Amino acid sequence: MAGALLAGAAAAPASASPPPSVAPAVAAELPPDGDTVASPPGANDWNCRPGAAHPRPVVLVHGTFANRYENWLTLSPLLKGLGYCVFALDYGTVPGVTSSGSGLLLPIGGLGPVPESAAQLARFVDLVRNATGAAEVDIVGHSQGGMLPNYYLKFLGGASKVGRLVGLAPSNHGTTLDGITNLVPYFPGVADLIYTVCQACRDQAVGSGFNKVMASRPDTVPGVSYTVVSTVFDEVVTPWRTQFLSGPDVDNEVVQQHCPVSLVEHVGIAFSPTALHLVTNALDPAHATPVLCG
C-alpha cells in the first residue's frame, strides 16, 4: 500500500510555501526540511483560523521511512472536511538520502535521532500556534510519529502547548530491530538505511539509550489527554500491547475491538476507516459517534 502511495505521490506538485499573505517572519521560521514534499490535501493552509467547534489546530506527524504526503493522504482531507485547521511537517531527514540517493520515488524522513526530530516538532508547533493564534494544538502521529511527540511533552516543554496526543500504532516502548525491518517491503530501497543512517531505528529498539531516557519518567504528563490506536496484526511495533500507555486520561484502543474482521496492519492503520474513526472521536470526544467497521 505504501509503495503504491509513494508511486502516486511522485507526480504530485512541488510543496507549496505559505501564501504571500503570511507574514515573512512566519515563512522564515519554517523548519529547513518543512517543505521536502508536497503537503497532503487539506494541510498547511497558513491562513486557516480555528473556529469554536475545533479551537485547536491538528498537527500530523508521519512515521519512520515516510513523509507527510504519503502518510496523511487520507486523514488530512478528512479532518479538513470536518472543519479542523490541519498542519503536517516532514522531520528527521538526512542530507543526501533522497530519491536520487536511495532509489525511492520521494524523499523520506523519520531517520534522524528522535530527540532532534522532537525539537523540529517543537519548532513546528510554535509556528502553527503563532500563525493561527491558538494557545494549544492537538497532535496525531503514526508509528514513530505517535511516540516522538511524547518526548516533546516530557522533555521539551510541550505539555503546556498540546491538548491531545493520538498515536496510531506508536512505538511508545520500543520494538525489536527485526520489527523495524518489517517495514522494508513497504518502502523499497530502505533496507540498507536501517543499519546506516537511520538513528531513529536504533532509538526505537527495545533497550536503547533513548528508551531508557523515556522510561525514566511516567508515560504521561499532566494536562494532556492520550489516545493509542493499535492493531493486533502489527508486525512492526511488537508486541503490539507495548504500544499502550499507562496513566491518567489515557484511552488505549484496538481496531479489532470495534471491527473483529479487520486485518489491518502497521502501515495500513493510517488508512483504516475504523482507526481513523477512533482518531476523530479522540479529537472531539464530546461528539463521538459509534465506530464503523471498515
Side-chain angles (χ1 to χ4, degrees):
M1 173 182 282
L5 290 172
L6 284 170
S15 173
S17 298
S21 59
V22 175
V26 173
E29 293 175 11
L30 278 171
D33 57 348
D35 59 353
T36 305
V37 298
S39 298
N44 296 336
D45 173 4
W46 296 95
N47 290 317
C48 188
R49 298 296 178 265
H54 303 302
R56 291 191 295 266
V58 178
V59 173
L60 304 178
V61 189
H62 65 73
T64 309
F65 302 136
N67 57 62
R68 64 185 179 184
Y69 184 85
E70 62 89 11
N71 215 149
W72 303 119
L73 276 171
T74 301
L75 182 59
S76 178
L78 171 62
L79 293 178
K80 185 68 172 181
L82 292 173
Y84 290 90
C85 291
V86 184
F87 297 88
L89 78 158
D90 286 319
Y91 71 90
T93 58
V94 176
V97 183
T98 64
S99 57
S100 60
S102 67
L104 295 168
L105 295 177
L106 280 179
I108 57 172
L111 305 178
V114 175
E116 293 182 9
S117 295
Q120 287 182 275
L121 173 62
R123 294 193 298 272
F124 193 79
V125 167
D126 284 344
L127 177 64
V128 169
R129 291 171 61 244
N130 291 338
T132 62
E136 294 182 334
V137 303
D138 290 336
I139 296 177
V140 179
H142 176 221
S143 192
Q144 179 191 166
M147 171 275 294
L148 79 82
N150 214 7
Y151 184 94
Y152 165 53
L153 299 179
K154 288 184 179 186
F155 299 102
L156 301 181
S160 65
K161 303 174 183 179
V162 176
R164 301 183 183 279
L165 171 58
V166 183
L168 288 162
S171 51
N172 281 324
H173 300 105
T175 184
T176 63
L177 202 56
D178 285 343
I180 292 291
T181 63
N182 285 330
L183 282 172
V184 170
Y186 296 97
F187 302 97
V190 304
D192 293 339
L193 306 183
I194 293 175
Y195 299 100
T196 54
V197 300
C198 186
Q199 179 59 46
C201 298
R202 296 188 287 276
D203 284 347
Q204 291 175 89
V206 171
S208 69
F210 171 81
N211 273 308
K212 291 176 181 176
V213 170
M214 289 291 282
S216 68
R217 295 187 181 180
D219 278 358
T220 63
V221 298
V224 179
S225 298
Y226 297 79
T227 300
V228 174
V229 181
S230 302
T231 171
V232 301
F233 296 109
D234 198 311
E235 77 287 25
V236 175
V237 180
T238 55
W240 62 268
R241 289 184 182 275
T242 62
Q243 299 170 19
F244 289 174
L245 294 172
S246 299
D249 211 358
V250 172
D251 183 17
N252 293 309
E253 297 278 2
V254 182
V255 168
Q256 285 75 21
Q257 289 176 339
H258 302 271
C259 188
V261 299
S262 175
L263 300 178
V264 68
E265 36 58 67
H266 183 82
V267 172
I269 198 171
F271 309 92
S272 158
T274 302
L276 298 188
H277 198 155
L278 289 166
V279 170
T280 57
N281 278 355
L283 292 173
D284 191 3
H287 298 95
T289 58
V291 178
L292 301 176
C293 183

